[in-house]
Amino acid sequence: MGAIQAPDLSLAALAPLLFVFGAAAVGVLVEAFAPRDVRHPVQVTLALVGMVGAFASTILLAGTREVTAGRALAVDGAALFLQAIIAALGALSVLLFAERSLDPARSAFVASAAVPAGSLRDVELATSERVQTEVYPLASFAVGGMMLFTAANDLLIMFVALEVLSLPLYLMSGLARRRRLLSQEAAVKYFLLGAFASAFFLYGLALVYGSTGSVQLADIRAASSADGTDTLLVLGLGLLVVGLMFKASVAPFHTWTPDVYQGAPTPVSAFMAAATKVAAFGAILRLLYVGFGTADWTWRPLVYGLAIVSMVVGAVLGLTQTDVKRMLAYSSIAHAGFLLTGVIGLSNDGSGSGLAATMFYLLTYGLTTLGIFAVVTLVRDGDGEATHLSQWAGLAQRSPLTAGLMTFFLLALAGIPLTSGFTGKFAVFRAAIEVGAWPLAVIALLASAVAAFFYLRLVVLMYFSDPAPDGPTVGVAGLPTTTVLAVTAAATLVLGIVPGSVLDLARSAAVLVG
């Protein structure tokens, strides 16, 4: 028997992943052995250290282009850029999780998830001083899975990363302190539909392996170049795309999104809306352009159609929503379609303006989305966040600053000039036009105009309607939420006015290594 050869492993290249997964593992030990009264500050610190360490590692690794762990993971410009975005969004999300820690009874998370919803014990725990701390290692594992997802050059590693990022999100979606049944319903729906999507991905993986004899994207690319008409390969690609589009909230694989965004704790909704989309599109870009770039005829028509469907569904159904979080869910579906226009704009070698534009859009969208959900956490009634549109009537009279921030973020999502949303949309639309997909860009512009209507409807409601006498209160943001709002608002403004340096950084990072 021949000797087993150890894979080429670079610990330095894996530093971002090691920071996050290390913090998550230590967090599990803290849950097991640390006294309850010290867990919360320790867990918050651990999670932040892991994500900040991962962010710093990606900066130190900038310019690195290599494959490691037996060619299973890529350390290239695109992976590092997206990992930095995920780590930054994860750190900001942890700050949202930690809000109201000085008043645990107002925390977004249930004190004990093992208590049946609606029971007497559950009612008692609604005002308990106990603080939920399991969410921090769960969030760290999810962030680690997302970072692994964007760097995976091997379909098996990609599947493992998909499960690592998904399982914590299923649990976190059911941890809302109030509206427990709605939260648990959201978690069950997310889990069941996520399991179906994972099954599609795994079956697609099996078909691709049966066609090419390999699960590594570089080998799949070589096989598709030699025989791009293989029916088994095309079917496998289609099933892989279904699994990834589900995670990216692309219509028609979006049905979980409104219910989960509405039922999950608002900080978790923010985390999913921002970071998960970055991870999903990172994996989509790597699969399509590293694995199937030379056989782009197999997937370009599919992505073209999905982009149109997602934009239309998100924009049109968003008009009918009366809940702020459901409205933002359909906004996310529409933005997934806008992002796919950038995917269409990539060249066959995985470079070009499409990749840079898509990565820049993911950055701008993630920051704006975190900011807008942070504002949602401040408008509250007796049942938690006040998310019905009627409850936001006259908000500008109650709190001009809160209404002003909400308006600014909504205008950014609508793509109004001098906001990051305009710069991001301009970049992806131009990338699509450069490769001849101008009809898709026209449809995207029309969908943007339709989506702007339900954003502006909320703005009109806040400024030109009288507040209800028994309307919600606007809470005072603590230091964690204030930090999130300050960072996201400043980034949304700066990336809209002077985006040049970040766009240049995205262009220099627009490299996918197979």
Side-chain angles (χ1 to χ4, degrees):
M1 294 180 61
I4 298 176
Q5 185 176 359
D8 179 24
L9 194 64
S10 171
L11 293 180
L14 299 178
L17 295 171
L18 295 177
F19 265 106
V20 176
F21 282 124
V26 174
V28 172
L29 295 178
V30 170
E31 284 299 310
F33 299 107
R36 186 182 299 277
D37 57 349
V38 302
R39 288 180 194 169
H40 188 263
V42 173
Q43 292 285 29
V44 173
T45 302
L46 272 175
L48 288 176
V49 167
M51 294 174 195
V52 173
F55 180 81
S57 299
T58 59
I59 295 175
L60 294 175
L61 288 170
T64 303
R65 297 180 185 178
E66 63 174 286
V67 289
T68 185
R71 297 194 303 155
L73 295 177
V75 183
D76 52 28
L80 292 173
F81 190 89
L82 294 174
Q83 285 179 345
I85 296 174
I86 293 169
L89 295 176
L92 293 173
S93 299
V94 166
L95 292 178
L96 285 182
F97 293 173
E99 179 61 33
R100 293 189 290 278
S101 58
L102 297 178
D103 183 8
R106 296 185 62 208
S107 172
F109 298 98
V110 65
S112 176
V115 177
S119 65
L120 291 177
R121 182 58 177 160
D122 185 50
V123 174
E124 294 174 1
L125 289 176
T127 56
S128 171
E129 294 298 310
R130 289 175 59 180
V131 180
Q132 174 67 250
T133 53
E134 290 90 344
V135 293
Y136 298 105
L138 287 174
S140 295
F141 275 119
V143 168
M146 293 173 191
M147 295 173 69
L148 183 63
F149 204 35
T150 62
N153 259 350
D154 183 298
L155 290 179
L156 277 177
I157 298 295
M158 194 174 287
F159 175 74
V160 171
L162 175 63
E163 296 306 298
V164 171
L165 77 89
S166 298
L167 291 174
L169 293 177
Y170 300 152
L171 295 172
M172 294 162 67
S173 298
L175 295 180
R177 180 177 285 261
R178 295 172 178 82
R179 302 175 184 173
R180 297 281 295 126
L181 289 176
L182 185 64
S183 179
Q184 292 184 355
E185 178 187 354
V188 171
K189 286 181 178 178
Y190 193 16
F191 171 71
L192 292 177
L193 292 175
F196 278 114
S198 296
F200 276 110
F201 187 93
L202 196 57
Y203 190 29
L205 185 157
L207 292 179
V208 170
Y209 179 77
S211 172
T212 64
S214 176
V215 292
Q216 293 195 335
L217 296 184
D219 297 336
I220 294 170
R221 183 185 182 96
S224 63
S225 299
D227 186 12
T229 60
D230 190 340
T231 302
L232 205 61
L233 183 65
V234 175
L235 288 175
L237 171 62
L239 293 175
L240 290 173
V241 168
V242 169
L244 294 177
M245 294 299 174
F246 170 88
K247 191 55 64 178
S249 302
V250 175
F253 314 109
H254 68 285
T255 52
W256 63 275
T257 310
D259 291 335
V260 174
Y261 278 33
Q262 182 183 22
T266 302
V268 175
S269 300
F271 179 50
M272 289 191 295
T276 305
K277 197 170 292 292
V278 177
F281 272 93
I284 290 169
L285 291 168
R286 191 166 294 279
L287 173 70
L288 296 182
Y289 286 95
V290 176
F292 293 89
T294 55
D296 59 342
W297 62 270
T298 60
W299 58 261
R300 280 188 185 272
L302 175 61
V303 172
Y304 203 111
L306 289 175
I308 295 173
V309 171
S310 195
M311 288 186 288
V312 172
V313 168
V316 173
L317 294 186
L319 295 172
T320 66
Q321 303 307 308
T322 58
D323 185 274
V324 173
K325 291 172 72 175
R326 291 184 72 89
M327 183 191 77
L328 293 175
Y330 282 101
S331 168
S332 172
I333 295 164
H335 280 275
F338 300 146
L339 280 159
L340 287 178
T341 64
V343 174
I344 288 290
L346 271 74
S347 60
N348 286 342
D349 60 357
S351 62
S353 62
L355 178 55
T358 304
M359 294 194 302
F360 180 80
Y361 197 117
L362 288 169
L363 172 62
T364 60
Y365 175 76
L367 290 169
T368 302
T369 301
L370 265 183
I372 204 167
F373 274 103
V375 176
V376 172
T377 65
L378 299 178
V379 184
R380 306 177 61 81
D381 60 13
D383 292 328
E385 287 88 1
T387 58
H388 197 278
L389 287 180
S390 62
Q391 295 174 296
W392 288 68
L395 182 68
Q397 300 178 36
R398 296 179 181 271
S399 176
L401 179 60
T402 303
L405 283 171
M406 189 67 173
T407 300
F408 179 60
F409 289 128
L410 288 170
L411 293 178
L413 289 179
I416 301 301
L418 301 183
T419 66
S420 61
F422 172 80
T423 312
K425 286 184 178 179
F426 180 82
V428 294
F429 295 169
R430 184 178 65 177
I433 293 171
E434 287 177 352
V435 297
W438 61 266
L440 183 61
V442 172
I443 295 172
L445 285 171
L446 295 175
S448 295
V450 174
F453 177 82
F454 58 79
Y455 298 134
L456 295 177
R457 178 180 62 180
L458 180 54
V459 174
V460 170
L461 196 63
M462 290 189 294
Y463 282 92
F464 299 103
S465 298
D466 295 325
D470 57 345
T473 61
V474 179
V476 178
L479 179 60
T481 299
T482 301
T483 302
V484 173
L485 288 171
V487 171
T488 54
T492 301
L493 181 62
V494 170
L495 293 177
I497 298 176
V498 284
S501 59
V502 180
L503 276 170
D504 291 340
L505 180 62
R507 292 190 190 101
S508 65
V511 177
L512 290 166
V513 176

